[in-house]
Amino acid sequence: MSPRSASVNEEMRRRSREKLLQATVELVDERGYEATTLGDIADRAGSARGLVSYYFPGKRQLLQSAVHRLMHRTLAEALERDPRPAGPDAGRELLARAVDAVLGLARDRPTLMRTHMAGILQQEGFVRCEEQQRLAALLREVVVRYGSRDPDTDYPMLRALLMGAVVAILLPGAPMPSARLRAELFGRYGLDWELGFPPDVPEPGAPGGNGTLPPAGRR
């Protein structure tokens, strides 16, 4: 049997890494962080346990990479969903979709996203892995398409606002409604409530809404 080529080996490594990331998301979502071991992740991925340590320095770094991969995939799917945004308002639609994609993860995967945010706020801090870089590049592209003249400043601000909104949704004992946070973000960027993937609730501050103030950009 002839030896595998370098490209085949690289593809096999990529697939093994992807399986570990996917298994991490699934298990932490199901069991929580503390109840998930690196051995559990390797078993779920069908990988040798030594591969986990080969690709990642620890469980916290593995989790951050896994969640950044999930966020990148979720964001990419939202931006590419039909009908594709086109025309002069395409940038505003893309930004609305990006906001909804991130808030949707906080709403739909609270255990996973709460664990992810807690890890970022702990000593390990923010892991700049390749998954995070892909997510950052895609979100920065959204900012550019929106019309930013200074994406190097505007992208970090958008990232900070989205992270703050996720924390507010998931805050134990005092969560904020995602619709209220969506309205604030949409108001800041001058986005109409109907853009993106609007929730099945009235706009806060509008007639029939559940808030008392209109979005910031409309006061």
Side-chain angles (χ1 to χ4, degrees):
M1 179 181 296
S2 60
R4 294 192 295 263
S5 67
S7 61
V8 171
N9 286 331
E10 180 62 28
E11 178 62 18
M12 291 180 66
R13 286 192 291 268
R14 186 192 67 78
R15 290 183 180 181
S16 294
R17 195 174 187 278
E18 289 279 305
K19 288 179 180 179
L20 290 171
L21 293 170
Q22 182 61 33
T24 302
V25 166
E26 293 172 359
L27 287 170
V28 173
D29 214 17
E30 294 169 9
R31 306 177 185 178
Y33 181 75
E34 297 298 336
T36 299
T37 68
L38 293 177
D40 294 333
I41 292 169
D43 291 343
R44 174 69 67 93
S47 301
R49 299 195 180 190
L51 278 180
V52 182
S53 299
Y54 175 77
Y55 289 121
F56 304 97
K59 188 168 72 167
R60 184 65 67 182
Q61 291 84 356
L62 170 56
L63 176 63
Q64 281 206 38
S65 293
V67 175
H68 285 142
R69 171 180 176 267
L70 173 65
M71 293 178 71
H72 176 263
R73 291 165 65 93
T74 301
L75 180 58
E77 290 171 1
L79 299 178
E80 295 169 4
R81 189 180 303 181
D82 290 329
R84 298 282 187 88
D89 286 336
R92 296 173 69 247
E93 171 65 20
L94 289 171
L95 181 55
R97 291 186 180 195
V99 170
D100 284 338
V102 175
L103 297 186
L105 281 172
R107 181 189 64 244
D108 299 337
R109 293 178 177 262
T111 298
L112 183 68
M113 295 302 291
R114 186 179 291 114
T115 304
H116 173 62
M117 296 305 300
I120 291 176
L121 296 173
Q122 290 177 357
Q123 186 174 358
E124 293 88 347
F126 195 71
V127 175
R128 298 186 182 279
C129 57
E130 58 186 85
E131 285 77 19
Q132 182 272 329
Q133 291 172 354
R134 282 196 288 267
L135 172 62
L138 187 56
L139 198 55
R140 187 180 186 280
E141 180 184 344
V142 170
V143 171
V144 171
R145 293 284 302 278
Y146 172 71
S148 169
R149 297 182 179 180
D150 186 7
D152 290 334
T153 298
D154 294 338
Y155 156 67
M157 176 58 69
L158 174 62
R159 181 183 66 193
L161 290 170
L162 290 173
M163 290 175 67
V166 169
V167 170
I169 291 172
L170 300 175
L171 189 63
M176 285 195 66
S178 60
R180 174 72 268 177
L181 293 163
R182 182 184 195 264
E184 289 295 330
L185 286 167
F186 272 41
R188 178 183 181 91
Y189 289 101
L191 305 175
D192 296 330
W193 184 256
E194 294 75 21
L195 293 175
F197 311 114
D200 294 329
V201 296
E203 178 181 5
N210 58 1
T212 58
L213 293 174
R218 301 178 190 174
R219 293 174 187 168

